[in-house]
Amino acid sequence: MKRIKLLLFLLAIGISTIFILKDNETIPSKATSIEQKKDVPLPTELHPIVKERSDQLVQQAAKIGIVVMITDGFRSIEEQNTIYEQGRTAEGNIVTNAKGGESYHNYGLAIDFALETTSGDVIWDRQYDRNQNGKSDWSEVVKIAKSLGFEWGGDWKGFKDYPHFQMDFGLTIADLQNGERPEDTSNVADTQ
Ligand SMILES: [Zn+2]
């Protein structure tokens, strides 16, 4: 009876070893295909079209008496992780729900803005009306940005990111993480 139990025990170990080895065999091939896609280098600056539209936003706002400050553009993974910790493990208020690699800033496709007052202060006051036309400057800037093709973070359901504009070029964060990038659309920029 003891011998049978021992044999069954050894058999069980043998079978589980085979399964473990089999599992390990399938992992390497899967891992390489993901790594290869992720090898696509990350950008190191704003996408040229986003940069151009961002400049146009500042210029068009200036024409109606609003001074727009672009406070942030391209952000590295490390910089993104640092601001993610703000309001969590670090001091301050939570300013983002995106960790490194989860924000359009990390792919050079987003900008943040603020307003400059007549006394030179940089503010995030969404009621401020520097040009005194009865409309809040913030909403006027948002309107211009949208006309230039930007998506506004203030329109998001859930966490609203009022100073944030982005262009996704039809790509999700998952696409970008998988190494997809906006096509070279420099011709489009020329016609605008
Ligand atoms: Zn932003």
Side-chain angles (χ1 to χ4, degrees), residues 109-155:
L109 303 178
I111 54 167
D112 294 334
F113 82 101
L115 299 172
E116 194 186 283
T117 66
T118 44
S119 49
D121 293 329
V122 177
I123 58 163
W124 285 263
D125 180 352
R126 300 205 303 277
Q127 315 306 325
Y128 185 66
D129 188 13
R130 177 175 179 151
N131 60 7
Q132 297 186 316
N133 63 354
K135 293 182 238 168
S136 88
D137 294 354
W138 203 273
S139 63
E140 290 186 273
V141 173
V142 167
K143 203 177 166 191
I144 298 169
K146 286 181 180 178
S147 76
L148 290 167
F150 282 107
E151 174 186 335
W152 180 41
D155 285 332

Short mmCIF file of all heavy atoms in Angstrom, two decimals, residues 109-155:
data_model
loop_
_atom_site.label_atom_id
_atom_site.label_comp_id
_atom_site.label_asym_id
_atom_site.label_seq_id
_atom_site.Cartn_x
_atom_site.Cartn_y
_atom_site.Cartn_z
N LEU A 109 2.44 64.30 -28.04
CA LEU A 109 1.16 64.60 -28.68
C LEU A 109 0.23 65.44 -27.82
O LEU A 109 -0.95 65.58 -28.13
CB LEU A 109 0.46 63.28 -29.08
CG LEU A 109 1.26 62.34 -30.00
CD1 LEU A 109 0.47 61.05 -30.26
CD2 LEU A 109 1.61 63.01 -31.32
N ALA A 110 0.76 66.00 -26.72
CA ALA A 110 -0.10 66.79 -25.83
C ALA A 110 0.63 68.01 -25.28
O ALA A 110 1.86 68.02 -25.17
CB ALA A 110 -0.59 65.93 -24.67
N ILE A 111 -0.17 69.03 -24.98
CA ILE A 111 0.36 70.24 -24.35
C ILE A 111 -0.56 70.64 -23.19
O ILE A 111 -1.73 70.26 -23.17
CB ILE A 111 0.46 71.43 -25.34
CG1 ILE A 111 -0.90 71.69 -26.02
CG2 ILE A 111 1.55 71.19 -26.38
CD1 ILE A 111 -0.98 73.02 -26.77
N ASP A 112 -0.01 71.41 -22.25
CA ASP A 112 -0.81 72.00 -21.18
C ASP A 112 -0.64 73.51 -21.26
O ASP A 112 0.41 73.99 -21.68
CB ASP A 112 -0.32 71.53 -19.80
CG ASP A 112 -0.52 70.04 -19.60
OD1 ASP A 112 -1.42 69.47 -20.21
OD2 ASP A 112 0.26 69.46 -18.82
N PHE A 113 -1.66 74.23 -20.85
CA PHE A 113 -1.55 75.69 -20.92
C PHE A 113 -2.03 76.36 -19.65
O PHE A 113 -2.67 75.76 -18.79
CB PHE A 113 -2.33 76.24 -22.14
CG PHE A 113 -3.81 76.42 -21.91
CD1 PHE A 113 -4.34 77.68 -21.63
CD2 PHE A 113 -4.68 75.34 -21.94
CE1 PHE A 113 -5.71 77.86 -21.42
CE2 PHE A 113 -6.05 75.50 -21.73
CZ PHE A 113 -6.57 76.76 -21.47
N ALA A 114 -1.66 77.62 -19.54
CA ALA A 114 -2.13 78.49 -18.47
C ALA A 114 -2.29 79.87 -19.09
O ALA A 114 -1.96 80.08 -20.25
CB ALA A 114 -1.13 78.52 -17.32
N LEU A 115 -2.81 80.82 -18.31
CA LEU A 115 -3.01 82.18 -18.82
C LEU A 115 -2.07 83.13 -18.10
O LEU A 115 -1.75 82.92 -16.92
CB LEU A 115 -4.45 82.63 -18.57
CG LEU A 115 -5.55 81.80 -19.24
CD1 LEU A 115 -6.92 82.25 -18.74
CD2 LEU A 115 -5.47 81.93 -20.76
N GLU A 116 -1.64 84.16 -18.80
CA GLU A 116 -0.83 85.19 -18.14
C GLU A 116 -1.69 86.43 -17.94
O GLU A 116 -2.37 86.88 -18.86
CB GLU A 116 0.40 85.52 -18.99
CG GLU A 116 1.44 86.32 -18.21
CD GLU A 116 2.60 86.77 -19.09
OE1 GLU A 116 3.46 85.94 -19.40
OE2 GLU A 116 2.59 87.95 -19.48
N THR A 117 -1.65 86.94 -16.72
CA THR A 117 -2.45 88.13 -16.41
C THR A 117 -1.71 89.39 -16.85
O THR A 117 -0.54 89.34 -17.22
CB THR A 117 -2.72 88.25 -14.89
OG1 THR A 117 -1.46 88.49 -14.24
CG2 THR A 117 -3.35 86.99 -14.34
N THR A 118 -2.41 90.53 -16.76
CA THR A 118 -1.79 91.80 -17.14
C THR A 118 -0.59 92.12 -16.25
O THR A 118 0.33 92.81 -16.66
CB THR A 118 -2.82 92.96 -17.04
OG1 THR A 118 -3.54 92.80 -15.81
CG2 THR A 118 -3.79 92.92 -18.19
N SER A 119 -0.60 91.59 -15.01
CA SER A 119 0.54 91.85 -14.12
C SER A 119 1.64 90.78 -14.25
O SER A 119 2.61 90.78 -13.49
CB SER A 119 0.06 91.94 -12.67
OG SER A 119 -0.76 90.83 -12.35
N GLY A 120 1.46 89.87 -15.23
CA GLY A 120 2.52 88.90 -15.50
C GLY A 120 2.43 87.61 -14.71
O GLY A 120 3.30 86.75 -14.82
N ASP A 121 1.36 87.46 -13.92
CA ASP A 121 1.19 86.20 -13.18
C ASP A 121 0.67 85.10 -14.11
O ASP A 121 -0.09 85.38 -15.04
CB ASP A 121 0.18 86.38 -12.04
CG ASP A 121 0.69 87.31 -10.95
OD1 ASP A 121 1.92 87.33 -10.74
OD2 ASP A 121 -0.14 88.02 -10.33
N VAL A 122 1.09 83.86 -13.83
CA VAL A 122 0.59 82.72 -14.58
C VAL A 122 -0.54 82.09 -13.76
O VAL A 122 -0.34 81.74 -12.60
CB VAL A 122 1.72 81.70 -14.85
CG1 VAL A 122 1.18 80.47 -15.56
CG2 VAL A 122 2.83 82.35 -15.66
N ILE A 123 -1.72 82.01 -14.36
CA ILE A 123 -2.89 81.55 -13.59
C ILE A 123 -3.65 80.43 -14.33
O ILE A 123 -3.53 80.26 -15.54
CB ILE A 123 -3.87 82.71 -13.30
CG1 ILE A 123 -4.33 83.37 -14.62
CG2 ILE A 123 -3.24 83.74 -12.37
CD1 ILE A 123 -5.58 84.22 -14.48
N TRP A 124 -4.44 79.71 -13.52
CA TRP A 124 -5.29 78.63 -14.06
C TRP A 124 -6.76 78.96 -13.78
O TRP A 124 -7.58 78.09 -13.64
CB TRP A 124 -4.89 77.30 -13.44
CG TRP A 124 -3.61 76.75 -14.00
CD1 TRP A 124 -3.50 75.82 -15.00
CD2 TRP A 124 -2.28 77.08 -13.61
NE1 TRP A 124 -2.17 75.57 -15.25
CE2 TRP A 124 -1.40 76.33 -14.43
CE3 TRP A 124 -1.72 77.96 -12.66
CZ2 TRP A 124 -0.01 76.42 -14.31
CZ3 TRP A 124 -0.34 78.04 -12.55
CH2 TRP A 124 0.50 77.28 -13.37
N ASP A 125 -7.04 80.26 -13.66
CA ASP A 125 -8.38 80.75 -13.33
C ASP A 125 -9.26 80.67 -14.58
O ASP A 125 -9.03 81.39 -15.56
CB ASP A 125 -8.28 82.19 -12.82
CG ASP A 125 -9.63 82.78 -12.45
OD1 ASP A 125 -10.67 82.14 -12.72
OD2 ASP A 125 -9.64 83.90 -11.90
N ARG A 126 -10.28 79.83 -14.54
CA ARG A 126 -11.09 79.61 -15.74
C ARG A 126 -12.15 80.70 -15.93
O ARG A 126 -12.91 80.65 -16.91
CB ARG A 126 -11.73 78.21 -15.71
CG ARG A 126 -10.68 77.09 -15.65
CD ARG A 126 -11.21 75.79 -16.21
NE ARG A 126 -12.42 75.33 -15.55
CZ ARG A 126 -12.44 74.65 -14.40
NH1 ARG A 126 -11.31 74.35 -13.79
NH2 ARG A 126 -13.57 74.27 -13.87
N GLN A 127 -12.20 81.65 -15.00
CA GLN A 127 -13.17 82.76 -15.15
C GLN A 127 -12.47 84.04 -15.64
O GLN A 127 -13.14 85.00 -16.03
CB GLN A 127 -13.85 83.09 -13.80
CG GLN A 127 -14.32 81.89 -13.00
CD GLN A 127 -15.23 80.97 -13.80
OE1 GLN A 127 -16.01 81.43 -14.63
NE2 GLN A 127 -15.09 79.67 -13.58
N TYR A 128 -11.16 84.06 -15.58
CA TYR A 128 -10.40 85.28 -15.90
C TYR A 128 -10.76 85.82 -17.29
O TYR A 128 -10.92 85.05 -18.24
CB TYR A 128 -8.90 84.96 -15.81
CG TYR A 128 -7.99 86.16 -15.99
CD1 TYR A 128 -7.98 87.19 -15.06
CD2 TYR A 128 -7.13 86.24 -17.09
CE1 TYR A 128 -7.15 88.29 -15.23
CE2 TYR A 128 -6.29 87.33 -17.26
CZ TYR A 128 -6.30 88.36 -16.33
OH TYR A 128 -5.48 89.43 -16.50
N ASP A 129 -10.88 87.15 -17.36
CA ASP A 129 -11.29 87.78 -18.62
C ASP A 129 -10.40 88.98 -18.93
O ASP A 129 -10.81 90.13 -18.83
CB ASP A 129 -12.77 88.20 -18.52
CG ASP A 129 -13.33 88.69 -19.85
OD1 ASP A 129 -12.68 88.48 -20.90
OD2 ASP A 129 -14.43 89.30 -19.84
N ARG A 130 -9.16 88.68 -19.29
CA ARG A 130 -8.17 89.72 -19.56
C ARG A 130 -8.61 90.67 -20.67
O ARG A 130 -8.44 91.88 -20.57
CB ARG A 130 -6.83 89.06 -19.94
CG ARG A 130 -5.75 90.06 -20.30
CD ARG A 130 -4.41 89.38 -20.56
NE ARG A 130 -3.40 90.35 -20.94
CZ ARG A 130 -2.10 90.22 -20.70
NH1 ARG A 130 -1.65 89.14 -20.10
NH2 ARG A 130 -1.25 91.14 -21.06
N ASN A 131 -9.19 90.13 -21.73
CA ASN A 131 -9.58 90.99 -22.85
C ASN A 131 -10.96 91.63 -22.63
O ASN A 131 -11.44 92.38 -23.49
CB ASN A 131 -9.53 90.22 -24.18
CG ASN A 131 -10.46 89.01 -24.20
OD1 ASN A 131 -11.25 88.80 -23.28
ND2 ASN A 131 -10.36 88.21 -25.25
N GLN A 132 -11.57 91.35 -21.48
CA GLN A 132 -12.81 92.00 -21.06
C GLN A 132 -13.88 92.04 -22.13
O GLN A 132 -14.51 93.08 -22.37
CB GLN A 132 -12.50 93.42 -20.54
CG GLN A 132 -11.60 93.34 -19.30
CD GLN A 132 -11.37 94.69 -18.66
OE1 GLN A 132 -11.14 95.68 -19.34
NE2 GLN A 132 -11.46 94.72 -17.33
N ASN A 133 -14.07 90.89 -22.77
CA ASN A 133 -15.13 90.83 -23.79
C ASN A 133 -16.35 90.07 -23.26
O ASN A 133 -17.23 89.69 -24.02
CB ASN A 133 -14.61 90.20 -25.09
CG ASN A 133 -14.17 88.75 -24.89
OD1 ASN A 133 -14.15 88.25 -23.75
ND2 ASN A 133 -13.82 88.09 -25.97
N GLY A 134 -16.37 89.84 -21.93
CA GLY A 134 -17.52 89.17 -21.32
C GLY A 134 -17.48 87.65 -21.43
O GLY A 134 -18.37 86.98 -20.92
N LYS A 135 -16.47 87.12 -22.12
CA LYS A 135 -16.32 85.66 -22.22
C LYS A 135 -15.05 85.27 -21.47
O LYS A 135 -14.04 85.98 -21.55
CB LYS A 135 -16.17 85.23 -23.69
CG LYS A 135 -17.42 85.45 -24.53
CD LYS A 135 -17.18 84.95 -25.95
CE LYS A 135 -17.38 86.05 -26.97
NZ LYS A 135 -16.91 85.70 -28.31
N SER A 136 -15.08 84.15 -20.76
CA SER A 136 -13.88 83.75 -20.03
C SER A 136 -12.78 83.39 -21.04
O SER A 136 -13.05 82.75 -22.07
CB SER A 136 -14.17 82.57 -19.10
OG SER A 136 -14.01 81.35 -19.78
N ASP A 137 -11.57 83.87 -20.76
CA ASP A 137 -10.46 83.63 -21.67
C ASP A 137 -10.23 82.13 -21.87
O ASP A 137 -9.90 81.68 -22.96
CB ASP A 137 -9.17 84.29 -21.14
CG ASP A 137 -9.28 85.81 -21.10
OD1 ASP A 137 -10.29 86.35 -21.60
OD2 ASP A 137 -8.35 86.46 -20.57
N TRP A 138 -10.40 81.39 -20.75
CA TRP A 138 -10.16 79.93 -20.80
C TRP A 138 -11.03 79.29 -21.88
O TRP A 138 -10.55 78.52 -22.72
CB TRP A 138 -10.47 79.30 -19.44
CG TRP A 138 -9.76 78.00 -19.23
CD1 TRP A 138 -10.20 76.77 -19.61
CD2 TRP A 138 -8.49 77.82 -18.60
NE1 TRP A 138 -9.28 75.82 -19.26
CE2 TRP A 138 -8.22 76.43 -18.64
CE3 TRP A 138 -7.56 78.69 -18.02
CZ2 TRP A 138 -7.05 75.89 -18.10
CZ3 TRP A 138 -6.40 78.14 -17.48
CH2 TRP A 138 -6.15 76.77 -17.53
N SER A 139 -12.34 79.66 -21.87
CA SER A 139 -13.25 79.04 -22.85
C SER A 139 -12.92 79.51 -24.26
O SER A 139 -13.09 78.75 -25.22
CB SER A 139 -14.70 79.35 -22.49
OG SER A 139 -14.92 80.75 -22.56
N GLU A 140 -12.42 80.74 -24.39
CA GLU A 140 -12.03 81.22 -25.73
C GLU A 140 -10.82 80.45 -26.26
O GLU A 140 -10.75 80.12 -27.44
CB GLU A 140 -11.73 82.72 -25.67
CG GLU A 140 -12.98 83.57 -25.45
CD GLU A 140 -12.70 85.06 -25.54
OE1 GLU A 140 -12.33 85.67 -24.51
OE2 GLU A 140 -12.84 85.61 -26.64
N VAL A 141 -9.86 80.17 -25.35
CA VAL A 141 -8.67 79.41 -25.75
C VAL A 141 -9.08 77.99 -26.16
O VAL A 141 -8.61 77.46 -27.18
CB VAL A 141 -7.62 79.38 -24.61
CG1 VAL A 141 -6.47 78.45 -24.96
CG2 VAL A 141 -7.10 80.79 -24.32
N VAL A 142 -9.98 77.40 -25.38
CA VAL A 142 -10.45 76.03 -25.68
C VAL A 142 -11.09 76.00 -27.08
O VAL A 142 -10.85 75.09 -27.87
CB VAL A 142 -11.44 75.55 -24.60
CG1 VAL A 142 -12.18 74.29 -25.05
CG2 VAL A 142 -10.72 75.30 -23.28
N LYS A 143 -11.88 77.04 -27.36
CA LYS A 143 -12.56 77.11 -28.66
C LYS A 143 -11.55 77.16 -29.81
O LYS A 143 -11.69 76.46 -30.81
CB LYS A 143 -13.46 78.35 -28.68
CG LYS A 143 -14.60 78.25 -29.67
CD LYS A 143 -15.50 79.47 -29.59
CE LYS A 143 -16.43 79.53 -30.79
NZ LYS A 143 -17.13 80.81 -30.89
N ILE A 144 -10.52 77.99 -29.65
CA ILE A 144 -9.48 78.09 -30.69
C ILE A 144 -8.77 76.75 -30.85
O ILE A 144 -8.56 76.26 -31.96
CB ILE A 144 -8.45 79.20 -30.36
CG1 ILE A 144 -9.13 80.57 -30.28
CG2 ILE A 144 -7.32 79.21 -31.39
CD1 ILE A 144 -8.23 81.68 -29.69
N ALA A 145 -8.40 76.15 -29.71
CA ALA A 145 -7.66 74.87 -29.74
C ALA A 145 -8.45 73.79 -30.47
O ALA A 145 -7.91 73.05 -31.29
CB ALA A 145 -7.34 74.43 -28.32
N LYS A 146 -9.74 73.75 -30.19
CA LYS A 146 -10.58 72.73 -30.85
C LYS A 146 -10.63 72.98 -32.36
O LYS A 146 -10.61 72.04 -33.15
CB LYS A 146 -11.98 72.73 -30.26
CG LYS A 146 -12.04 72.09 -28.87
CD LYS A 146 -13.48 72.10 -28.36
CE LYS A 146 -13.57 71.47 -26.98
NZ LYS A 146 -14.95 71.53 -26.46
N SER A 147 -10.68 74.27 -32.74
CA SER A 147 -10.73 74.58 -34.17
C SER A 147 -9.41 74.19 -34.86
O SER A 147 -9.37 73.97 -36.07
CB SER A 147 -11.02 76.07 -34.39
OG SER A 147 -9.86 76.84 -34.13
N LEU A 148 -8.34 74.08 -34.08
CA LEU A 148 -7.04 73.68 -34.63
C LEU A 148 -6.87 72.15 -34.60
O LEU A 148 -5.83 71.63 -34.99
CB LEU A 148 -5.91 74.34 -33.83
CG LEU A 148 -5.75 75.85 -34.00
CD1 LEU A 148 -4.83 76.44 -32.93
CD2 LEU A 148 -5.19 76.18 -35.39
N GLY A 149 -7.89 71.46 -34.09
CA GLY A 149 -7.85 69.99 -34.11
C GLY A 149 -7.48 69.33 -32.80
O GLY A 149 -7.29 68.12 -32.74
N PHE A 150 -7.37 70.14 -31.74
CA PHE A 150 -7.03 69.55 -30.43
C PHE A 150 -8.27 68.98 -29.75
O PHE A 150 -9.37 69.53 -29.89
CB PHE A 150 -6.44 70.61 -29.50
CG PHE A 150 -4.99 70.94 -29.76
CD1 PHE A 150 -4.63 72.16 -30.34
CD2 PHE A 150 -3.98 70.05 -29.40
CE1 PHE A 150 -3.29 72.47 -30.57
CE2 PHE A 150 -2.65 70.37 -29.62
CZ PHE A 150 -2.31 71.58 -30.20
N GLU A 151 -8.04 67.93 -28.98
CA GLU A 151 -9.05 67.40 -28.06
C GLU A 151 -8.76 68.03 -26.71
O GLU A 151 -7.60 68.17 -26.33
CB GLU A 151 -8.91 65.87 -27.99
CG GLU A 151 -9.79 65.20 -26.97
CD GLU A 151 -9.48 63.70 -26.84
OE1 GLU A 151 -8.96 63.09 -27.81
OE2 GLU A 151 -9.73 63.15 -25.75
N TRP A 152 -9.81 68.44 -25.98
CA TRP A 152 -9.62 69.12 -24.69
C TRP A 152 -9.87 68.17 -23.52
O TRP A 152 -10.89 67.47 -23.49
CB TRP A 152 -10.58 70.32 -24.61
CG TRP A 152 -10.48 71.12 -23.35
CD1 TRP A 152 -9.35 71.48 -22.69
CD2 TRP A 152 -11.57 71.66 -22.60
NE1 TRP A 152 -9.66 72.23 -21.58
CE2 TRP A 152 -11.02 72.34 -21.49
CE3 TRP A 152 -12.95 71.64 -22.75
CZ2 TRP A 152 -11.81 73.00 -20.55
CZ3 TRP A 152 -13.74 72.29 -21.81
CH2 TRP A 152 -13.16 72.96 -20.73
N GLY A 153 -8.94 68.18 -22.56
CA GLY A 153 -9.08 67.34 -21.36
C GLY A 153 -10.28 67.69 -20.49
O GLY A 153 -10.73 66.88 -19.70
N GLY A 154 -10.81 68.91 -20.66
CA GLY A 154 -11.99 69.33 -19.91
C GLY A 154 -13.27 68.65 -20.39
O GLY A 154 -14.30 68.70 -19.72
N ASP A 155 -13.20 68.02 -21.55
CA ASP A 155 -14.37 67.31 -22.09
C ASP A 155 -14.41 65.85 -21.64
O ASP A 155 -15.37 65.14 -21.94
CB ASP A 155 -14.33 67.32 -23.64
CG ASP A 155 -14.71 68.67 -24.21
OD1 ASP A 155 -15.48 69.40 -23.56
OD2 ASP A 155 -14.23 68.99 -25.33
#
